[in-house]
Amino acid sequence: MPYPPFFDLVPRLRLRDPLAEFLGAFDGGLVEYGYLDAVKLAGHSCPTVASAYWLTRQALMALYGDAVPERGAVKASFREGRSEGVTGVIANVVSMLTGSTTDSGFKGLAGRFDRRNLMAFDVSQPLDLRFTRVDTGRTVDAEAHLRHVPADHRMAPLMQRCLTGVASPEEAKDFRALWQARVRSVLLDHGDDPAVFVIRPAE
């Protein structure tokens, strides 16, 4: 399954999932996710999927510090409705990484491991996303400003030619390369850029 090599350069996220440990899926419940997992979930690689992966990773790192983040123990809330804009795409990635769901997730076993009601939409909050540790109540707000990572000027006209079916094979190849080059820049050139990725303690 060939894919752009930079996928493997994006730092991974290591979590501990108590449910996975309880049921013997992973020794110690330790599981790792990478950007490729987010791409597989979404079915494509784009700046939105990239920002969803990176915001979640960075927010969990901020919440847990040197400790391994616990999957299934973080609430995630969104300022917009689940059907607005790209909120649903982002929520799918957040859910994969945190285990958080609305009312459709795992119901738990004997009162443990319940993954429901850990995700909410249309919440009044200052930034697009909010992550909260269930055990301590510690909270961070998060948001991505992808406009600060501009696309190559050739990409829009090439995309239009591809969408209308008039692009040559070489033009289609160039479009795909330019598209993924921007995704790469978002993750690897701007991953620590506070103008692009905002992670801050909730007020």
Side-chain angles (χ1 to χ4, degrees):
M1 184 182 67
Y3 54 85
F6 79 85
F7 287 10
D8 292 332
L9 299 179
V10 179
R12 299 173 63 81
L13 173 62
R14 189 169 186 254
L15 302 162
R16 186 179 71 84
D17 190 324
L19 175 60
E21 180 179 16
F22 181 77
L23 296 177
F26 305 108
D27 288 345
L30 295 175
V31 57
E32 279 193 355
Y33 290 94
Y35 179 57
L36 178 59
D37 296 305
V39 172
K40 288 179 178 179
L41 176 73
H44 65 284
S45 169
C46 72
T48 295
V49 173
S51 67
Y53 172 80
W54 196 249
L55 279 177
T56 305
R57 181 188 184 277
Q58 298 303 88
L60 292 177
M61 300 294 284
L63 285 177
Y64 284 87
D66 293 332
V68 178
E70 182 175 327
R71 191 171 185 273
V74 174
K75 293 182 179 179
S77 61
F78 296 79
R79 187 164 55 182
E80 295 189 341
R82 72 178 75 193
S83 61
E84 293 184 51
V86 294
T87 301
V89 175
I90 296 171
N92 286 339
V93 176
V94 173
S95 180
M96 178 186 72
L97 298 176
T98 65
S100 307
T101 69
T102 51
D103 57 358
S104 60
F106 185 65
K107 296 180 180 180
L109 297 167
R112 300 173 63 191
F113 315 122
D114 193 337
R115 303 293 169 85
R116 297 170 300 169
N117 303 312
L118 293 175
M119 182 172 283
F121 299 88
D122 288 311
V123 178
S124 178
Q125 57 192 42
L127 300 184
D128 288 342
L129 290 93
R130 172 168 283 185
F131 297 86
T132 303
R133 284 181 59 164
V134 173
D135 57 352
T136 66
R138 188 176 182 182
T139 302
V140 296
D141 291 326
E143 192 167 79
H145 300 293
L146 297 175
R147 65 183 180 276
H148 294 307
V149 187
D152 187 285
H153 71 279
R154 296 169 293 169
M155 195 170 75
L158 282 172
M159 184 178 193
Q160 187 61 33
R161 289 183 62 79
C162 291
L163 288 172
T164 55
V166 298
S168 68
E170 191 61 33
E171 287 175 323
K173 180 181 178 181
D174 289 345
F175 165 70
R176 290 192 292 267
L178 291 172
W179 182 271
Q180 293 306 322
R182 183 172 182 234
V183 177
R184 185 189 190 284
S185 183
V186 167
L187 289 168
L188 298 181
D189 298 334
H190 295 277
D192 295 320
D193 186 345
V196 177
F197 290 104
V198 179
I199 305 285
R200 70 188 189 198
E203 298 176 1

